[in-house]
Amino acid sequence: MAKSNKPIVWGLFAAGGTITAFLLPVVVLLTLFAALGMTPDLFTYEYLHAFAANWLGKLVIFGVIFLSLWHAAHRLRITMHDFGLRQDLWIATTVYVLAALGTIMTFFYLLRI
Amino acid sequence: MSERQIQLEVLRYNPETDSEPRLQTYSVPCLNEWVVLDALNYVKDNLDTTLSYRWSCHMAVCGSCGMMINGEPKLACKAFIREYADQIRVEPLANFPIERDLVTAVEDFIAKLASVKPYLIPKEDKPIEAGEFKQTPTELKKYKQYTLCINCMLCYAACPQYGLVPEFLGPAAIALAHRYNQDSRDGGRDQRQEVIASHEGVWECSFVGACSEVCPKHVDPAGALQQVKIASTIDWYKEHLMPWVKK
Ligand code: SF4
Ligand code: FES
């Protein structure tokens, strides 16, 4: 029996899962505050733009988006399987290509800021 | 002692005469403190001697009385009648071939257990004169929980992945491998990894978690599998990205 290569995608899935588990509630909370008209000064466009313009900020944003995308892709793949869709090769290819595309786009969009 | 008349619906199958399984209902006067196994024993002793099922200890340690009770994998000796309505359905463990009535074929499961080398493989040979392999309570605690498995196969009956992919090594076998891998006296992890880090090994698991829910001994096989995934992932990165690092 050969060892599986699944750790590549699973490693990203696990890391992304940890990050989204921490950040998603924060995003929900902030959106709620924004909806109620309570936006702290730190979250104005100028501040966030400055954050995204800094290379460290870029790195953080890239890490979060990249890992979340791969987490979502793998989660979708497993969910499809649980729903009874068994064309795993096709599904896996589709979701991972989408995640890769998103990763590349994130990279270039961040570079442009 | 209160008594209740229970309609016990039991799946019957005799490979010599039946082309397919059928349900047979027995009316059983059950005492309040009975478990489903007591009701089956009542049937066997008083109503129908042809009924076949496995049991031995009647105290949730031998692991032989696993069956589906109202569709859920349970130990018949741990499923109290008082927790059920007046009609109870008893079937052989799901995901396993039926041998006869409630008896399932266990060969596949046993072969899988054996395939993970579930025994201590010491790091180095030590002559007897050199004394015993010592272990601290902390080291024992790392794997103790995984030694509690009684091989009842409830986790396999609960696992949808095993139902879909019979080659999947499954919860108990991987948890057992993990038990030895976590043992400070053991050095056989590399050998076990060849089996459990394969595609049919831990990577067939999609973390449904049903195994840990049905486990009567709180082994938490799902937890063991996730730990194995993390360790195997670290291995993979080490092997492929840092081949110069010795494990
Ligand atoms: S892990 Fe739990 S459910 Fe699975 S065989 Fe062992 S005792 Fe039974
Ligand atoms: S009879 Fe031994 S576990 Fe139920």
Side-chain angles (χ1 to χ4, degrees):
Chain A
M1 264 184 270
K3 283 196 192 175
S4 171
N5 280 326
K6 241 187 177 168
I8 328 169
V9 283
W10 192 84
L12 296 173
F13 167 72
T18 313
I19 285 202
T20 38
F22 278 112
L23 291 189
L24 213 63
V26 180
V27 172
V28 170
L29 213 67
L30 287 178
T31 316
L32 210 68
F33 277 142
L36 295 173
M38 296 192 285
T39 338
D41 285 344
L42 222 53
F43 289 98
T44 54
Y45 181 79
E46 289 70 33
Y47 269 115
L48 288 182
H49 191 273
F51 178 71
N54 181 283
W55 68 266
L56 198 66
K58 282 191 211 294
L59 203 70
V60 171
I61 297 175
F62 180 76
V64 169
I65 297 181
F66 158 65
L67 289 175
S68 310
L69 273 174
W70 284 87
H71 174 78
H74 192 70
R75 184 74 261 166
L76 259 173
R77 176 184 175 192
I78 296 169
T79 306
M80 294 296 185
H81 177 90
D82 288 346
F83 275 145
L85 292 176
R86 296 287 131 72
Q87 281 79 29
D88 189 52
L89 189 66
W90 287 106
I91 293 171
T93 314
T94 316
V95 292
Y96 294 144
V97 162
L98 281 176
L101 224 73
T103 307
I104 296 170
M105 276 161 64
T106 312
F107 183 77
F108 282 109
Y109 277 122
L110 278 173
L111 274 191
R112 277 175 35 184
I113 295 176
Chain B
M1 271 190 275
S2 57
E3 200 181 281
R4 195 153 60 107
Q5 203 68 23
I6 297 286
Q7 302 305 311
L8 198 65
E9 267 189 297
V10 184
L11 186 135
R12 303 295 313 270
Y13 174 68
N14 179 347
E16 279 139 33
T17 55
D18 301 340
S19 58
E20 44 183 82
R22 66 202 151 84
L23 286 170
Q24 186 169 351
T25 307
Y26 302 97
S27 189
V28 186
C30 293
L31 295 181
N32 196 36
E33 64 274 17
W34 274 16
V35 288
V36 171
L37 180 60
D38 294 316
L40 287 170
N41 286 343
Y42 182 92
V43 173
K44 180 97 176 165
D45 292 345
N46 302 289
L47 306 175
D48 186 348
T49 53
T50 67
L51 180 64
S52 300
Y53 53 98
R54 287 196 184 101
W55 72 286
S56 173
C57 69
H58 199 291
M59 50 192 275
V61 292
C62 74
S64 52
C65 69
M67 49 190 78
M68 307 300 283
I69 300 177
N70 282 354
E72 248 186 88
K74 294 259 182 203
L75 294 180
C77 66
K78 217 178 166 230
F80 282 90
I81 297 280
R82 60 171 174 263
E83 277 156 28
Y84 292 90
D86 292 344
Q87 190 163 8
I88 304 175
R89 179 185 288 205
V90 184
E91 293 156 302
L93 276 183
N95 300 338
F96 290 95
I98 306 175
E99 220 156 75
R100 186 190 195 99
D101 298 341
L102 300 171
V103 177
T104 51
V106 298
E107 287 71 16
D108 177 58
F109 174 69
I110 303 292
K112 280 173 176 161
L113 282 185
S115 75
V116 302
K117 309 199 177 187
Y119 37 81
L120 279 181
I121 305 175
K123 289 188 192 86
E124 75 253 26
D125 272 336
K126 205 160 99 165
I128 294 184
E129 306 81 64
E132 56 281 86
F133 289 91
K134 292 202 176 125
Q135 194 163 56
T136 65
T138 321
E139 286 168 334
L140 171 67
K141 206 166 158 236
K142 259 186 110 178
Y143 67 84
K144 177 124 190 266
Q145 165 192 0
Y146 308 115
T147 66
L148 301 178
C149 172
I150 55 173
N151 303 333
C152 66
M153 312 194 292
L154 297 194
C155 48
Y156 284 68
C159 177
Q161 282 299 89
Y162 179 63
L164 285 171
V165 188
E167 296 78 35
F168 175 33
L169 204 50
I174 298 174
L176 187 62
H178 189 58
R179 173 250 174 275
Y180 285 98
N181 287 345
Q182 296 292 94
D183 193 316
S184 60
R185 300 163 295 177
D186 182 84
R189 180 163 178 273
D190 284 351
Q191 296 177 41
R192 292 188 201 100
Q193 278 304 101
E194 293 301 322
V195 182
I196 64 174
S198 70
H199 199 74
E200 288 75 32
V202 74
W203 297 111
E204 207 48 84
C205 164
S206 63
F207 201 6
V208 174
C211 49
S212 290
E213 262 171 55
V214 300
C215 176
K217 304 308 271 188
H218 308 291
V219 171
D220 189 14
L225 265 71
Q226 303 323 301
Q227 289 176 25
V228 169
K229 281 184 193 171
I230 294 175
S232 307
T233 302
I234 295 172
D235 280 357
W236 191 92
Y237 281 114
K238 273 193 195 156
E239 276 166 28
H240 291 83
L241 303 180
M242 300 181 273
W244 59 90
V245 178
K246 276 268 169 291
K247 263 191 290 179

